[in-house]
Amino acid sequence: MKKEIRRLLLAGAVLLASNGAWAQAASNTEVRYDKPEQFMDVSFDQHKREEVLTELTRHFEKLGATLPAGQQLKIVVKDIDLAGRENPALRTANDIRVMTGGADWPRISLSYVLEQDGKVIGSADAQLSDMAYLTHMNRYASGERLRYEKRMIDEWFAKAFNIPLSRLNRSS
């Protein structure tokens, strides 16, 4: 019995330590949303909009944690158009998005600044877009919210910061 309790305590300590390390590593990424209430396709309901923006922020932070030590990434998201379209006829407590593969692909407009030890080493505007979002293999589960947007962001991040996509996939 004492042995089991020690194992549980040790496992808990390891989990706490890993969570602390992740939070510290993720702090090298700063995400700001410019006029999110005017975004092309994020819910007008403030609570739902905040949920989407929080999830995207966490995703950017997770990716930013893969940057080399001493680098800080600052992202300003200017517009978001989520994959699919909301179908008003299917309104429920949770909005249902219908994916047709037509003109409903995900798009994100952003700008970023990458700093190394406080000095700017890169910056650009970026237009993320995935017109063939329904035809790609997607490592995110079919039930995961924003799976198409996350895949698109992963592809952009890997290319923009020269980080192998396989390394990003392992950090999930």
Side-chain angles (χ1 to χ4, degrees):
M1 182 71 163
K2 283 185 180 183
K3 201 174 196 180
E4 288 178 36
I5 291 173
R6 282 188 198 148
R7 284 184 185 162
L8 285 173
L9 288 173
L10 179 61
V14 168
L15 281 173
L16 283 174
S18 68
N19 282 341
W22 185 87
Q24 186 176 12
S27 68
N28 70 334
T29 304
E30 189 179 301
V31 182
R32 187 171 58 83
Y33 296 92
D34 188 25
K35 300 177 186 166
E37 65 281 352
Q38 296 177 11
F39 285 175
M40 184 178 298
D41 185 29
V42 177
S43 180
F44 291 110
D45 177 88
Q46 184 176 352
H47 177 70
K48 290 177 183 176
R49 183 173 55 238
E50 288 299 322
E51 286 177 352
V52 168
L53 300 182
T54 298
E55 191 165 343
L56 287 174
T57 298
R58 284 187 192 131
H59 192 69
F60 280 119
E61 288 174 343
K62 179 191 73 149
L63 296 176
T66 64
L67 292 169
Q71 289 189 354
Q72 180 168 9
L73 179 61
K74 296 177 182 175
I75 298 172
V76 177
V77 177
K78 299 174 182 179
D79 197 12
I80 298 174
D81 186 357
L82 300 174
R85 295 283 173 249
E86 287 184 2
N87 186 339
L90 300 175
R91 287 233 183 253
T92 63
N94 294 321
D95 293 333
I96 295 177
R97 301 190 69 81
V98 177
M99 315 292 177
T100 64
D104 62 350
W105 63 87
R107 294 179 279 260
I108 297 177
S109 173
L110 59 81
S111 62
Y112 70 88
V113 174
L114 181 64
E115 297 177 350
Q116 175 75 47
D117 300 320
K119 295 181 183 172
V120 174
I121 60 171
S123 66
D125 290 327
Q127 301 298 320
L128 287 58
S129 177
D130 186 0
M131 293 175 82
Y133 73 101
L134 287 176
T135 63
H136 298 299
M137 294 291 293
N138 196 326
R139 69 185 183 88
Y140 296 99
S142 62
E144 183 160 348
R145 194 162 133 193
L146 304 178
R147 70 187 294 245
Y148 300 109
E149 292 78 9
K150 288 178 181 179
R151 184 196 171 284
M152 179 180 69
I153 292 168
D154 291 353
E155 293 279 332
W156 163 77
F157 192 90
K159 190 173 184 178
F161 301 107
N162 199 27
I163 295 176
L165 195 55
S166 60
R167 184 171 159 206
L168 297 179
N169 292 343
R170 285 194 309 259
S171 68
S172 296

